[in-house]
Coordinates of all heavy atoms in Angstrom, one line a residue:
M127 N 31.8 3.2 17.1 CA 31.0 2.4 16.2 C 29.6 3.0 16.2 O 29.0 3.3 17.2 CB 31.0 1.0 16.6 CG 30.3 0.2 15.6 SD 30.0 -1.6 15.9 CE 31.2 -2.2 17.0
S128 N 29.1 3.3 15.0 CA 27.8 3.9 14.9 C 26.7 2.8 14.8 O 26.9 1.7 14.2 CB 27.6 4.8 13.7 OG 27.8 4.1 12.5
K129 N 25.6 3.1 15.4 CA 24.5 2.1 15.4 C 23.5 2.6 14.2 O 23.2 3.7 14.1 CB 23.7 2.1 16.7 CG 24.5 1.5 17.8 CD 23.6 1.5 19.1 CE 24.4 1.0 20.3 NZ 23.6 0.9 21.5
T130 N 23.1 1.6 13.4 CA 22.1 1.9 12.4 C 20.8 1.5 12.8 O 20.6 0.4 13.4 CB 22.5 1.2 11.1 OG1 22.6 -0.1 11.3 CG2 23.8 1.8 10.5
K131 N 19.8 2.3 12.7 CA 18.4 2.0 13.1 C 17.8 1.3 12.0 O 17.7 1.7 10.8 CB 17.7 3.3 13.4 CG 16.4 3.1 13.9 CD 15.7 4.5 14.2 CE 14.3 4.3 14.7 NZ 13.6 5.6 15.0
H132 N 17.2 0.1 12.3 CA 16.5 -0.7 11.4 C 15.1 -0.1 11.1 O 14.4 0.1 12.1 CB 16.4 -2.1 11.8 CG 15.6 -3.0 10.9 ND1 16.0 -3.3 9.7 CD2 14.3 -3.5 11.0 CE1 15.1 -4.1 9.0 NE2 14.1 -4.2 9.8
I133 N 14.7 0.2 9.9 CA 13.5 0.8 9.6 C 12.6 -0.3 8.9 O 13.0 -0.8 7.9 CB 13.6 2.0 8.7 CG1 14.3 3.1 9.5 CG2 12.2 2.5 8.3 CD1 14.6 4.4 8.7
S134 N 11.5 -0.6 9.4 CA 10.6 -1.5 8.8 C 9.8 -0.8 7.6 O 9.4 0.3 7.7 CB 9.5 -2.0 9.8 OG 10.1 -2.8 10.8
K135 N 9.8 -1.5 6.5 CA 9.1 -1.0 5.3 C 7.7 -1.6 5.2 O 7.6 -2.8 5.3 CB 10.0 -1.3 4.1 CG 11.3 -0.6 4.1 CD 12.1 -0.9 2.9 CE 13.5 -0.2 3.1 NZ 14.3 -0.5 1.9
I136 N 6.8 -0.7 4.9 CA 5.4 -1.1 4.7 C 5.0 -0.8 3.3 O 5.3 0.3 2.8 CB 4.5 -0.4 5.7 CG1 4.9 -0.6 7.1 CG2 3.0 -0.8 5.5 CD1 4.9 -2.0 7.6
L137 N 4.4 -1.7 2.6 CA 3.9 -1.5 1.2 C 2.4 -1.1 1.3 O 1.6 -1.7 1.9 CB 4.0 -2.8 0.4 CG 3.5 -2.7 -1.0 CD1 4.2 -1.6 -1.9 CD2 3.6 -4.0 -1.7
I138 N 2.1 0.1 0.7 CA 0.7 0.5 0.5 C 0.3 0.3 -0.9 O 1.0 0.7 -1.8 CB 0.6 2.1 0.8 CG1 1.2 2.5 2.2 CG2 -0.8 2.5 0.7 CD1 0.5 2.0 3.4
V139 N -0.8 -0.4 -1.1 CA -1.3 -0.7 -2.4 C -2.7 -0.1 -2.6 O -3.6 -0.5 -1.8 CB -1.4 -2.2 -2.7 CG1 -1.9 -2.5 -4.1 CG2 0.0 -2.9 -2.5
Y140 N -2.8 0.8 -3.5 CA -4.1 1.4 -3.8 C -4.6 0.7 -5.0 O -3.9 0.5 -6.0 CB -3.9 2.9 -4.2 CG -3.6 3.8 -3.0 CD1 -2.4 4.4 -3.0 CD2 -4.5 4.0 -2.0 CE1 -2.0 5.3 -2.0 CE2 -4.2 4.9 -1.0 CZ -2.9 5.5 -1.0 OH -2.6 6.4 0.0
G141 N -5.9 0.3 -5.0 CA -6.6 -0.3 -6.2 C -7.1 0.7 -7.1 O -6.8 1.9 -7.1
P142 N -8.0 0.2 -8.0 CA -8.6 1.1 -9.1 C -9.2 2.3 -8.6 O -9.9 2.3 -7.6 CB -9.6 0.1 -9.7 CG -9.2 -1.2 -9.4 CD -8.5 -1.1 -8.0
N143 N -9.0 3.4 -9.3 CA -9.6 4.7 -9.2 C -9.2 5.5 -7.9 O -9.7 6.6 -7.7 CB -11.1 4.6 -9.2 CG -11.6 4.0 -10.5 OD1 -11.0 4.4 -11.6 ND2 -12.6 3.2 -10.5
M144 N -8.3 4.9 -7.1 CA -7.8 5.6 -5.9 C -7.1 6.9 -6.3 O -7.1 7.9 -5.6 CB -7.0 4.8 -5.0 CG -7.8 3.8 -4.2 SD -9.0 4.5 -3.1 CE -7.9 5.3 -1.9
N145 N -6.5 6.9 -7.5 CA -5.8 8.1 -8.0 C -6.9 9.3 -8.2 O -6.5 10.4 -8.4 CB -5.0 7.8 -9.3 CG -5.9 7.2 -10.4 OD1 -6.7 6.3 -10.1 ND2 -5.7 7.7 -11.6
L146 N -8.1 8.9 -8.3 CA -9.2 9.9 -8.5 C -9.9 10.3 -7.2 O -11.0 10.9 -7.2 CB -10.2 9.4 -9.5 CG -9.7 9.0 -10.9 CD1 -10.7 8.4 -11.7 CD2 -9.0 10.2 -11.6
L147 N -9.3 9.9 -6.1 CA -10.0 10.1 -4.8 C -10.5 11.5 -4.6 O -11.5 11.8 -4.0 CB -9.0 9.7 -3.7 CG -9.5 9.8 -2.2 CD1 -10.7 8.8 -2.0 CD2 -8.4 9.5 -1.2
G148 N -9.7 12.5 -5.0 CA -10.1 13.9 -4.8 C -11.4 14.3 -5.6 O -12.1 15.1 -5.1
M149 N -11.6 13.6 -6.6 CA -12.8 13.8 -7.4 C -14.1 13.2 -6.7 O -15.2 13.7 -6.9 CB -12.7 13.2 -8.8 CG -11.6 13.9 -9.6 SD -11.3 13.2 -11.3 CE -12.8 13.7 -12.1
L150 N -13.8 12.2 -6.0 CA -14.9 11.5 -5.3 C -15.3 12.3 -4.0 O -16.5 12.3 -3.7 CB -14.5 10.1 -4.9 CG -14.2 9.1 -6.0 CD1 -13.7 7.8 -5.5 CD2 -15.5 8.8 -6.8
N151 N -14.4 12.8 -3.4 CA -14.6 13.6 -2.1 C -14.3 15.0 -2.3 O -13.2 15.5 -1.9 CB -13.8 13.0 -1.0 CG -14.1 11.5 -0.7 OD1 -15.2 11.2 -0.6 ND2 -13.1 10.7 -0.6
K152 N -15.1 15.8 -3.0 CA -14.8 17.2 -3.4 C -14.3 18.0 -2.1 O -14.9 17.9 -1.1 CB -16.0 17.8 -3.9 CG -16.5 17.2 -5.2 CD -15.7 17.6 -6.4 CE -16.4 17.1 -7.7 NZ -15.5 17.0 -8.7
N153 N -13.2 18.6 -2.3 CA -12.6 19.5 -1.3 C -12.3 18.9 0.0 O -12.1 19.6 1.0 CB -13.6 20.7 -1.1 CG -13.8 21.5 -2.3 OD1 -12.9 21.7 -3.1 ND2 -15.1 21.9 -2.5
K154 N -12.2 17.6 0.1 CA -11.8 16.9 1.3 C -10.4 16.4 1.3 O -9.5 17.0 1.9 CB -12.8 15.8 1.7 CG -14.2 16.3 2.0 CD -15.1 15.2 2.5 CE -16.4 15.8 2.9 NZ -17.3 14.8 3.3
I155 N -10.2 15.3 0.6 CA -8.8 14.7 0.6 C -8.6 14.1 -0.8 O -9.5 13.5 -1.4 CB -8.6 13.7 1.7 CG1 -7.1 13.4 1.9 CG2 -9.5 12.5 1.6 CD1 -6.8 12.7 3.2
N156 N -7.4 14.2 -1.2 CA -7.0 13.5 -2.4 C -5.9 12.5 -2.1 O -5.4 12.5 -0.9 CB -6.6 14.4 -3.6 CG -5.4 15.3 -3.2 OD1 -4.5 14.9 -2.5 ND2 -5.4 16.5 -3.7
M157 N -5.4 11.7 -3.0 CA -4.4 10.7 -2.8 C -3.1 11.3 -2.3 O -2.4 10.8 -1.4 CB -4.2 9.8 -4.0 CG -3.6 8.4 -3.6 SD -3.6 7.2 -4.9 CE -2.1 7.6 -5.8
D158 N -2.7 12.4 -2.9 CA -1.5 13.1 -2.5 C -1.5 13.5 -1.0 O -0.5 13.3 -0.3 CB -1.1 14.2 -3.4 CG -0.7 13.8 -4.8 OD1 -0.2 12.7 -5.0 OD2 -0.9 14.6 -5.7
K159 N -2.6 14.1 -0.6 CA -2.7 14.6 0.8 C -2.7 13.4 1.7 O -2.1 13.4 2.8 CB -4.0 15.3 1.0 CG -4.0 16.7 0.4 CD -5.3 17.4 0.6 CE -5.4 18.8 -0.1 NZ -6.6 19.4 0.1
L160 N -3.4 12.3 1.3 CA -3.5 11.1 2.1 C -2.1 10.5 2.3 O -1.6 10.1 3.4 CB -4.4 10.1 1.5 CG -4.6 8.7 2.2 CD1 -5.1 8.9 3.6 CD2 -5.5 7.8 1.4
N161 N -1.3 10.4 1.2 CA 0.0 9.9 1.2 C 1.0 10.7 2.1 O 1.8 10.2 2.8 CB 0.6 9.8 -0.2 CG 0.0 8.7 -1.0 OD1 -0.6 7.8 -0.5 ND2 0.2 8.8 -2.3
R162 N 0.8 12.1 2.0 CA 1.7 12.9 2.8 C 1.4 12.7 4.3 O 2.3 12.6 5.1 CB 1.4 14.4 2.5 CG 2.2 14.9 1.3 CD 2.2 16.4 1.2 NE 0.9 17.0 1.1 CZ 0.3 17.2 -0.1 NH1 0.8 16.8 -1.2 NH2 -0.9 17.7 -0.1
Q163 N 0.1 12.5 4.7 CA -0.2 12.3 6.1 C 0.3 10.9 6.5 O 0.8 10.8 7.6 CB -1.7 12.4 6.3 CG -2.1 12.3 7.7 CD -1.5 13.4 8.6 OE1 -1.5 14.5 8.3 NE2 -1.0 13.0 9.8
M164 N 0.1 9.9 5.7 CA 0.6 8.6 6.0 C 2.1 8.6 6.2 O 2.6 7.9 7.1 CB 0.1 7.5 5.0 CG -1.3 7.2 5.1 SD -1.9 5.8 4.3 CE -1.3 6.1 2.6
R165 N 2.8 9.2 5.3 CA 4.3 9.3 5.4 C 4.7 10.0 6.7 O 5.7 9.6 7.3 CB 4.9 10.0 4.2 CG 4.9 9.1 2.9 CD 5.7 9.8 1.8 NE 5.4 9.2 0.5 CZ 5.9 8.1 0.1 NH1 6.8 7.4 0.8 NH2 5.6 7.6 -1.1
K166 N 4.0 11.1 7.0 CA 4.4 11.8 8.3 C 4.2 10.9 9.5 O 5.0 10.8 10.4 CB 3.5 13.0 8.4 CG 3.7 13.9 9.6 CD 2.8 15.1 9.5 CE 2.9 15.9 10.8 NZ 1.9 17.1 10.8
T167 N 3.1 10.2 9.5 CA 2.8 9.3 10.6 C 3.8 8.1 10.7 O 4.3 7.7 11.7 CB 1.3 8.7 10.5 OG1 0.4 9.9 10.5 CG2 1.0 7.8 11.7
A168 N 4.1 7.6 9.5 CA 5.0 6.5 9.4 C 6.4 6.9 9.9 O 7.0 6.1 10.7 CB 5.1 6.0 8.0
K169 N 6.8 8.1 9.5 CA 8.1 8.6 10.0 C 8.2 8.7 11.5 O 9.1 8.3 12.1 CB 8.4 9.9 9.4 CG 9.8 10.5 9.7 CD 10.1 11.8 9.0 CE 11.5 12.3 9.3 NZ 11.7 13.5 8.7
Y170 N 7.1 9.2 12.1 CA 7.0 9.3 13.5 C 7.1 7.9 14.2 O 7.7 7.8 15.3 CB 5.7 10.0 13.9 CG 5.4 10.0 15.4 CD1 6.0 11.0 16.2 CD2 4.5 9.2 16.0 CE1 5.8 11.1 17.5 CE2 4.3 9.2 17.3 CZ 4.9 10.2 18.1 OH 4.7 10.2 19.5
L171 N 6.5 6.9 13.5 CA 6.6 5.5 14.1 C 7.8 4.8 13.7 O 8.0 3.6 14.1 CB 5.3 4.8 13.6 CG 4.0 5.3 14.1 CD1 2.8 4.6 13.3 CD2 3.8 5.2 15.6
G172 N 8.7 5.4 13.0 CA 9.9 4.7 12.6 C 9.8 3.7 11.4 O 10.5 2.8 11.3
L173 N 8.7 4.0 10.6 CA 8.4 3.2 9.4 C 8.7 3.9 8.1 O 8.8 5.1 8.1 CB 7.0 2.8 9.4 CG 6.4 2.0 10.7 CD1 4.9 1.9 10.6 CD2 7.1 0.7 10.8
E174 N 8.9 3.1 7.1 CA 9.1 3.7 5.7 C 8.0 3.1 4.9 O 7.7 1.9 4.9 CB 10.5 3.3 5.2 CG 10.8 3.8 3.8 CD 12.1 3.4 3.3 OE1 13.1 3.4 4.1 OE2 12.2 3.1 2.1
L175 N 7.4 3.9 4.0 CA 6.3 3.5 3.2 C 6.8 3.4 1.7 O 7.5 4.2 1.3 CB 5.1 4.5 3.2 CG 4.5 4.7 4.6 CD1 3.3 5.6 4.5 CD2 4.1 3.3 5.2
N176 N 6.3 2.4 1.1 CA 6.4 2.2 -0.4 C 5.0 2.2 -0.9 O 4.2 1.3 -0.6 CB 7.1 0.9 -0.7 CG 7.3 0.6 -2.2 OD1 6.6 1.1 -3.0 ND2 8.3 -0.1 -2.5
I177 N 4.6 3.3 -1.6 CA 3.3 3.5 -2.0 C 3.1 3.2 -3.5 O 3.9 3.7 -4.4 CB 2.8 4.9 -1.7 CG1 2.9 5.1 -0.2 CG2 1.4 5.1 -2.2 CD1 2.6 6.5 0.3
F178 N 2.1 2.4 -3.9 CA 1.8 2.0 -5.2 C 0.3 2.0 -5.5 O -0.5 1.6 -4.7 CB 2.4 0.6 -5.4 CG 2.1 0.0 -6.7 CD1 2.8 0.4 -7.9 CD2 1.1 -1.0 -6.9 CE1 2.5 -0.2 -9.1 CE2 0.9 -1.6 -8.1 CZ 1.6 -1.2 -9.2
Q179 N 0.0 2.6 -6.7 CA -1.4 2.6 -7.1 C -1.5 2.0 -8.5 O -0.7 2.3 -9.4 CB -2.0 4.0 -7.1 CG -3.5 4.1 -7.4 CD -3.9 4.0 -8.9 OE1 -3.2 4.5 -9.7 NE2 -5.1 3.5 -9.1
S180 N -2.5 1.1 -8.7 CA -2.7 0.6 -10.1 C -4.2 0.3 -10.3 O -4.9 0.0 -9.3 CB -2.0 -0.8 -10.2 OG -2.2 -1.3 -11.5
N181 N -4.6 0.4 -11.5 CA -5.9 0.0 -11.9 C -6.0 -1.4 -12.4 O -7.1 -1.9 -12.8 CB -6.5 1.0 -13.0 CG -6.6 2.4 -12.5 OD1 -7.1 2.6 -11.4 ND2 -6.2 3.3 -13.2
E182 N -4.8 -2.1 -12.4 CA -4.7 -3.4 -12.9 C -4.3 -4.4 -11.8 O -3.2 -4.2 -11.2 CB -3.8 -3.5 -14.1 CG -4.2 -2.6 -15.3 CD -3.1 -2.6 -16.4 OE1 -2.5 -3.7 -16.6 OE2 -3.0 -1.6 -17.0
E183 N -5.1 -5.4 -11.5 CA -4.8 -6.3 -10.5 C -3.4 -7.0 -10.7 O -2.6 -7.3 -9.8 CB -5.9 -7.4 -10.4 CG -5.7 -8.3 -9.2 CD -6.8 -9.3 -9.1 OE1 -7.7 -9.4 -10.0 OE2 -6.8 -10.0 -8.1
G184 N -3.1 -7.4 -11.9 CA -1.9 -8.1 -12.2 C -0.6 -7.2 -11.9 O 0.4 -7.8 -11.4
K185 N -0.7 -5.9 -12.1 CA 0.4 -5.1 -11.7 C 0.6 -5.0 -10.2 O 1.7 -5.0 -9.7 CB 0.2 -3.7 -12.3 CG 0.5 -3.6 -13.8 CD 0.4 -2.2 -14.3 CE 0.6 -2.2 -15.8 NZ 0.6 -0.8 -16.3
A186 N -0.5 -5.1 -9.5 CA -0.5 -5.1 -8.0 C 0.2 -6.4 -7.5 O 1.0 -6.4 -6.6 CB -1.9 -4.9 -7.4
V187 N -0.2 -7.5 -8.1 CA 0.3 -8.8 -7.8 C 1.8 -8.8 -8.0 O 2.6 -9.3 -7.2 CB -0.4 -9.9 -8.5 CG1 0.4 -11.2 -8.4 CG2 -1.8 -10.1 -8.0
T188 N 2.3 -8.3 -9.2 CA 3.7 -8.2 -9.5 C 4.5 -7.4 -8.5 O 5.5 -7.8 -8.0 CB 3.9 -7.7 -10.9 OG1 3.3 -8.5 -11.8 CG2 5.4 -7.5 -11.2
R189 N 3.9 -6.3 -8.1 CA 4.6 -5.4 -7.1 C 4.7 -6.2 -5.7 O 5.7 -6.1 -5.1 CB 3.8 -4.1 -6.9 CG 4.3 -3.2 -5.8 CD 5.7 -2.6 -6.1 NE 5.8 -1.9 -7.3 CZ 5.9 -0.6 -7.4 NH1 6.0 0.1 -6.2 NH2 6.0 0.0 -8.5
L190 N 3.6 -6.8 -5.3 CA 3.7 -7.6 -4.1 C 4.8 -8.7 -4.1 O 5.6 -8.8 -3.2 CB 2.4 -8.3 -3.8 CG 1.2 -7.4 -3.3 CD1 -0.1 -8.2 -3.3 CD2 1.5 -6.9 -1.9
Q191 N 4.9 -9.4 -5.3 CA 5.9 -10.4 -5.4 C 7.3 -9.9 -5.4 O 8.2 -10.4 -4.7 CB 5.6 -11.2 -6.7 CG 4.4 -12.1 -6.6 CD 4.1 -12.8 -8.0 OE1 4.8 -12.6 -9.0 NE2 3.0 -13.5 -8.0
R192 N 7.5 -8.7 -6.0 CA 8.8 -8.1 -6.1 C 9.3 -7.6 -4.8 O 10.5 -7.5 -4.5 CB 8.9 -7.1 -7.2 CG 8.9 -7.6 -8.6 CD 9.0 -6.6 -9.6 NE 9.0 -7.2 -10.9 CZ 8.7 -6.5 -12.0 NH1 8.5 -5.2 -12.0 NH2 8.7 -7.1 -13.2
Q193 N 8.3 -7.1 -4.0 CA 8.7 -6.5 -2.7 C 8.7 -7.4 -1.5 O 9.0 -7.0 -0.4 CB 7.6 -5.3 -2.4 CG 7.7 -4.2 -3.4 CD 9.0 -3.4 -3.3 OE1 9.4 -3.1 -2.2 NE2 9.7 -3.2 -4.4
R194 N 8.3 -8.7 -1.7 CA 8.1 -9.6 -0.6 C 9.2 -9.8 0.4 O 9.0 -10.0 1.5 CB 7.7 -11.0 -1.2 CG 8.8 -11.7 -1.9 CD 8.3 -13.1 -2.4 NE 9.3 -13.8 -3.0 CZ 9.7 -13.7 -4.3 NH1 9.1 -12.8 -5.1 NH2 10.7 -14.4 -4.8
K195 N 10.4 -9.6 -0.1 CA 11.6 -9.8 0.8 C 12.0 -8.5 1.4 O 12.9 -8.4 2.3 CB 12.8 -10.4 0.1 CG 12.5 -11.9 -0.3 CD 13.7 -12.5 -1.0 CE 13.3 -13.9 -1.4 NZ 14.4 -14.5 -2.1
K196 N 11.4 -7.4 1.0 CA 11.8 -6.0 1.5 C 10.8 -5.4 2.5 O 11.2 -4.4 3.1 CB 12.0 -5.1 0.3 CG 13.0 -5.6 -0.8 CD 13.0 -4.7 -2.0 CE 13.9 -5.2 -3.0 NZ 13.8 -4.5 -4.3
I197 N 9.6 -6.0 2.6 CA 8.6 -5.4 3.4 C 8.2 -6.2 4.6 O 8.4 -7.5 4.6 CB 7.3 -5.1 2.6 CG1 6.8 -6.3 1.9 CG2 7.6 -4.0 1.5 CD1 5.5 -6.2 1.2
K198 N 7.7 -5.6 5.6 CA 7.3 -6.2 6.8 C 5.8 -6.3 7.0 O 5.2 -7.0 7.8 CB 7.9 -5.6 8.1 CG 9.4 -5.6 8.1 CD 9.9 -7.0 8.3 CE 11.4 -7.0 8.4 NZ 11.9 -8.4 8.3
G199 N 5.1 -5.5 6.1 CA 3.6 -5.5 6.2 C 3.0 -4.8 5.0 O 3.8 -4.1 4.2
I200 N 1.7 -5.0 4.8 CA 1.0 -4.4 3.7 C -0.3 -3.8 4.1 O -1.0 -4.3 5.0 CB 0.7 -5.5 2.6 CG1 2.0 -6.3 2.2 CG2 0.0 -5.0 1.4 CD1 1.7 -7.6 1.6
I201 N -0.6 -2.6 3.6 CA -1.9 -2.0 3.7 C -2.5 -1.9 2.4 O -1.9 -1.3 1.5 CB -1.7 -0.6 4.4 CG1 -1.1 -0.7 5.8 CG2 -3.1 0.1 4.5 CD1 -0.8 0.6 6.4
L202 N -3.7 -2.4 2.2 CA -4.4 -2.4 0.9 C -5.7 -1.6 1.0 O -6.5 -1.7 1.8 CB -4.8 -3.9 0.6 CG -3.7 -4.9 0.5 CD1 -4.1 -6.2 0.9 CD2 -3.1 -4.9 -0.9
F203 N -5.8 -0.7 0.0 CA -7.0 0.0 -0.3 C -7.5 -0.6 -1.6 O -7.2 -0.2 -2.7 CB -6.7 1.5 -0.5 CG -6.2 2.2 0.7 CD1 -4.9 2.2 1.1 CD2 -7.1 2.9 1.5 CE1 -4.4 2.8 2.2 CE2 -6.6 3.6 2.6 CZ -5.3 3.6 3.0
L204 N -8.3 -1.7 -1.4 CA -8.7 -2.5 -2.6 C -9.8 -1.9 -3.5 O -9.8 -2.2 -4.7 CB -9.2 -3.8 -2.0 CG -8.2 -4.7 -1.3 CD1 -8.9 -6.0 -0.8 CD2 -7.1 -5.1 -2.3
G205 N -10.6 -1.0 -2.9 CA -11.7 -0.5 -3.8 C -12.5 -1.6 -4.4 O -12.9 -2.5 -3.8
P206 N -12.7 -1.5 -5.8 CA -13.5 -2.5 -6.5 C -12.9 -3.9 -6.4 O -13.6 -4.9 -6.6 CB -13.4 -2.0 -7.9 CG -13.2 -0.6 -7.9 CD -12.3 -0.4 -6.6
W207 N -11.6 -4.1 -6.0 CA -11.1 -5.4 -5.9 C -11.6 -6.1 -4.6 O -11.3 -7.3 -4.4 CB -9.6 -5.4 -5.8 CG -8.9 -5.0 -7.2 CD1 -9.5 -5.1 -8.4 CD2 -7.6 -4.5 -7.3 NE1 -8.6 -4.7 -9.3 CE2 -7.4 -4.2 -8.7 CE3 -6.6 -4.1 -6.4 CZ2 -6.3 -3.7 -9.2 CZ3 -5.5 -3.6 -7.0 CH2 -5.3 -3.4 -8.3
Q208 N -12.2 -5.4 -3.7 CA -12.7 -5.9 -2.5 C -13.5 -7.3 -2.7 O -13.3 -8.2 -1.9 CB -13.6 -4.9 -1.8 CG -13.9 -5.2 -0.3 CD -12.8 -4.8 0.6 OE1 -12.0 -4.0 0.3 NE2 -12.8 -5.5 1.7
N209 N -14.3 -7.3 -3.7 CA -15.1 -8.5 -3.9 C -14.6 -9.4 -5.1 O -15.1 -10.5 -5.3 CB -16.6 -8.1 -4.1 CG -17.2 -7.5 -2.9 OD1 -16.9 -7.9 -1.8 ND2 -17.9 -6.4 -3.2
S210 N -13.6 -8.9 -5.8 CA -13.3 -9.6 -7.1 C -11.8 -9.8 -7.2 O -11.3 -10.4 -8.2 CB -13.7 -8.8 -8.3 OG -13.0 -7.6 -8.4
G211 N -11.0 -9.4 -6.2 CA -9.5 -9.5 -6.3 C -9.0 -10.9 -5.9 O -8.2 -11.0 -5.0
H212 N -9.5 -12.0 -6.6 CA -9.1 -13.3 -6.2 C -7.6 -13.6 -6.3 O -7.0 -14.3 -5.5 CB -9.9 -14.3 -7.0 CG -11.4 -14.1 -6.8 ND1 -12.1 -14.3 -5.6 CD2 -12.3 -13.7 -7.7 CE1 -13.3 -14.0 -5.8 NE2 -13.5 -13.6 -7.0
V213 N -7.0 -13.2 -7.4 CA -5.6 -13.4 -7.7 C -4.8 -12.7 -6.6 O -3.8 -13.2 -6.0 CB -5.2 -13.0 -9.1 CG1 -3.7 -13.2 -9.3 CG2 -6.0 -13.8 -10.1
L214 N -5.1 -11.4 -6.3 CA -4.4 -10.6 -5.3 C -4.5 -11.3 -4.0 O -3.5 -11.4 -3.3 CB -5.0 -9.2 -5.3 CG -4.4 -8.2 -4.4 CD1 -2.9 -8.0 -4.8 CD2 -5.2 -6.9 -4.5
L215 N -5.7 -11.7 -3.6 CA -5.9 -12.4 -2.3 C -5.1 -13.7 -2.2 O -4.6 -14.0 -1.1 CB -7.3 -12.5 -1.9 CG -8.1 -11.2 -1.8 CD1 -9.6 -11.5 -1.6 CD2 -7.6 -10.4 -0.6
N216 N -5.1 -14.4 -3.3 CA -4.3 -15.7 -3.3 C -2.8 -15.4 -3.1 O -2.1 -16.1 -2.4 CB -4.6 -16.4 -4.6 CG -3.8 -17.7 -4.7 OD1 -2.9 -17.8 -5.4 ND2 -4.3 -18.7 -3.9
T217 N -2.3 -14.3 -3.7 CA -0.9 -13.9 -3.6 C -0.6 -13.6 -2.2 O 0.4 -14.0 -1.6 CB -0.6 -12.7 -4.5 OG1 -0.9 -13.1 -5.9 CG2 0.8 -12.3 -4.4
L218 N -1.5 -12.9 -1.5 CA -1.3 -12.5 -0.1 C -1.2 -13.8 0.8 O -0.4 -13.8 1.7 CB -2.4 -11.6 0.4 CG -2.4 -10.2 -0.2 CD1 -3.7 -9.5 0.1 CD2 -1.2 -9.4 0.3
E219 N -2.0 -14.7 0.5 CA -2.0 -16.0 1.3 C -0.7 -16.7 1.1 O -0.1 -17.2 2.0 CB -3.1 -16.9 0.9 CG -4.5 -16.4 1.3 CD -5.6 -17.3 0.7 OE1 -5.4 -18.3 0.1 OE2 -6.8 -16.9 0.9
I220 N -0.2 -16.7 -0.2 CA 1.1 -17.4 -0.5 C 2.2 -16.7 0.2 O 3.1 -17.3 0.8 CB 1.3 -17.5 -2.0 CG1 0.3 -18.4 -2.6 CG2 2.7 -17.9 -2.3 CD1 0.2 -18.3 -4.1
L221 N 2.3 -15.4 0.1 CA 3.4 -14.6 0.7 C 3.5 -14.6 2.2 O 4.5 -14.5 2.8 CB 3.3 -13.2 0.2 CG 3.5 -12.9 -1.3 CD1 3.4 -11.5 -1.6 CD2 4.8 -13.6 -1.8
N222 N 2.3 -14.8 2.8 CA 2.3 -14.9 4.3 C 2.9 -13.7 5.0 O 3.7 -13.8 5.9 CB 2.9 -16.2 4.8 CG 2.5 -16.5 6.2 OD1 1.4 -16.1 6.7 ND2 3.4 -17.2 6.9
I223 N 2.7 -12.5 4.5 CA 3.1 -11.2 5.1 C 1.9 -10.6 5.7 O 0.8 -10.5 5.1 CB 3.7 -10.3 4.0 CG1 4.9 -10.9 3.3 CG2 4.1 -8.9 4.6 CD1 5.4 -10.2 2.1
P224 N 2.1 -10.0 6.9 CA 0.9 -9.4 7.6 C 0.3 -8.3 6.7 O 1.1 -7.5 6.2 CB 1.5 -8.9 8.9 CG 2.7 -9.6 9.1 CD 3.3 -10.0 7.8
Y225 N -1.0 -8.2 6.6 CA -1.6 -7.2 5.9 C -3.0 -6.8 6.5 O -3.6 -7.6 7.2 CB -1.8 -7.6 4.4 CG -2.9 -8.7 4.2 CD1 -4.2 -8.3 3.9 CD2 -2.5 -10.0 4.2 CE1 -5.1 -9.3 3.7 CE2 -3.5 -11.0 4.0 CZ -4.8 -10.6 3.7 OH -5.8 -11.6 3.5
V226 N -3.4 -5.6 6.2 CA -4.7 -5.1 6.5 C -5.4 -4.5 5.3 O -4.7 -4.0 4.4 CB -4.7 -4.1 7.7 CG1 -4.2 -4.7 9.0 CG2 -4.0 -2.9 7.3
T227 N -6.7 -4.6 5.2 CA -7.4 -4.0 4.1 C -8.2 -2.8 4.6 O -8.8 -2.9 5.7 CB -8.3 -5.0 3.3 OG1 -9.3 -5.5 4.3 CG2 -7.5 -6.1 2.7
V228 N -8.3 -1.7 3.9 CA -9.0 -0.6 4.3 C -10.1 -0.4 3.2 O -9.8 -0.4 2.0 CB -8.1 0.7 4.3 CG1 -8.9 1.9 4.7 CG2 -6.9 0.5 5.2
S229 N -11.3 -0.3 3.7 CA -12.4 -0.1 2.7 C -13.2 1.2 3.0 O -13.0 1.8 4.0 CB -13.4 -1.3 2.8 OG -13.8 -1.5 4.0

């Protein structure tokens, strides 16, 4: 009988303009490089990442709601939503899934 390894899934949510990260930090890092490094680290830790970027808060809320039964944690790069993402933060409270915000 083979044993299947359970892999915890983590949702990464990038807020507005994170797709332009390379333009903000010339010659340092862009979102693709960041994602590759995070996936490499996640694989080492036995995690799977689901990465999503949106400039619209409503789309981020919809993604959180749809993924709520499939994920074990959330990492948020809120950007401009840091001070104004009231609907997003309310959704996180309702879902009661562990999350961290990166600013």
